[in-house]
Amino acid sequence: MSNTTQASAPGQTPQDPQMSVSQPTSQPVATQPNASHPAAPQPAATPQPDAPRPAATQHPTATPRHPRLLPLPARIRRAMSGSWAMLVATLILLATAVIGLIPSFNSQALKQNIVLGAVPAGTDGHVWGTDALGRDVFMLTVAGARTAIAGPVVIAVGAMAIGLVFGLLAAYTGGWVDWLISRVVELMLSLPTLLLAIVLAGLIGGGYWVNVLVFMLLYAPYEIRLVRSAALSHLHDPFLDAARLLELSPTHILAHHVFPVIRPVVGAAMFLDMSNALVSLSSLSFLGLGISPQAADWGRQLSDARDQLFNNPMTAIAPGIAIIVVSVAMNIVGDWITARADRGER
């Protein structure tokens, strides 16, 4: 054995070198918390990925499904977008068209009674009163349905016919034909439609059907651009390529293959044109252009009612409501056709 001994520090007992084991110094020493040393805040536990989401943080349903629980504006929008709204709008248009075709209403509505003059609503024999010439307001409003339906229908059909011819021609032919038609359409679209119609109606000095012809020509550029865009979106479909491989004539391809595809767009655009034409023709009649002063027309009634608002307000309320109701009905039918076409394409 060696006589060499290791000096130990004061207060420590010497240990046998063979029995000494080095303890790791990197392990933390666990300490018990006490009152003088509060425990350090522990990090929050990380939630497991598959843990269920707390009920408090789940997003509630944005809109209740039951229609009675919807807010009033939402219920109105939902009701107006339903099929029953389209049915009501169609019945309004059919009733207006049928009433306008009855000639007896027009003859009875134009009977004047200047001695009676303007009487308020509720007078015996006159539910809505009379105007300044003693004409029954109810009969006059019913008779005004003829010009409210006939003119807009002719404008919509004529403008769409022009749009189909030139729009399909520009889309299918292309080249300089498409360029020329597109430049003319852009030039006409840059002009204000209603202002140009007022100027032309004043210069020509024609009647009601002259205004119808003017609006037909002014609405045609919109239909040409619409038909061209709709036809271009289907021009390279496989069924059209097959028709070309069969060497069918362009007229046959456009009439039997392209037109059936864009027919829903055409129908919706026609009803929207009818609505715009009704308002436009009523505006010209209100200004005294194109319609006789004694004729039954809603725009003319509004113009004549400016001096009778205090004597009989129904002279202005009746034709104004008629224009709004019929115009909205036309828009509802057009929107319904567009929605059905979109669902069919999906």
Side-chain angles (χ1 to χ4, degrees), residues 123-134:
T123 306
D124 294 339
H126 304 283
V127 180
W128 290 354
T130 58
D131 62 356
L133 299 178

Side-chain angles (χ1 to χ4, degrees), residues 157-295:
V157 174
M160 184 54 67
I162 298 174
L164 285 172
V165 172
F166 289 97
L168 293 177
L169 179 64
Y172 191 82
T173 305
W176 67 270
V177 176
D178 185 17
W179 181 88
L180 180 61
I181 294 176
S182 299
R183 299 295 82 77
V184 174
V185 167
E186 291 174 358
L187 177 61
M188 296 187 67
L189 290 178
S190 63
L191 303 175
T193 303
L194 186 57
L195 180 59
L196 186 59
I198 293 174
V199 173
L200 292 177
L203 291 177
I204 298 175
Y208 176 80
W209 293 107
V210 174
N211 293 343
V212 170
L213 179 61
V214 169
F215 278 114
M216 183 191 305
L217 297 177
L218 294 178
Y219 281 19
Y222 297 92
E223 309 310 327
I224 294 174
R225 186 175 63 174
L226 176 66
V227 172
R228 176 182 176 274
S229 301
L232 285 176
S233 62
H234 297 282
L235 205 58
H236 299 287
D237 289 347
F239 67 92
L240 289 181
D241 294 336
R244 295 188 191 94
L245 290 176
L246 295 175
E247 296 182 355
L248 299 177
S249 63
T251 305
H252 185 276
I253 294 175
L254 294 176
H256 295 86
H257 297 279
V258 179
F259 176 72
V261 178
I262 65 174
R263 185 168 49 192
V265 179
V266 171
M270 288 182 61
F271 277 95
L272 296 179
D273 282 346
M274 290 171 58
S275 176
N276 295 331
L278 172 60
V279 177
S280 300
L281 288 174
S282 299
S283 301
L284 290 186
S285 300
F286 181 83
L287 297 176
L289 299 174
I291 197 71
S292 174
Q294 285 78 28

Side-chain angles (χ1 to χ4, degrees), residues 136-152:
D136 186 79
V137 175
F138 175 77
M139 298 295 295
L140 197 63
T141 304
V142 172
R146 172 176 296 184
T147 58
I149 292 295

Side-chain angles (χ1 to χ4, degrees), residues 13 39-40 86 135 155 175 327:
T13 58
M86 188 279 305
R135 298 176 297 183
I155 292 174
S327 178

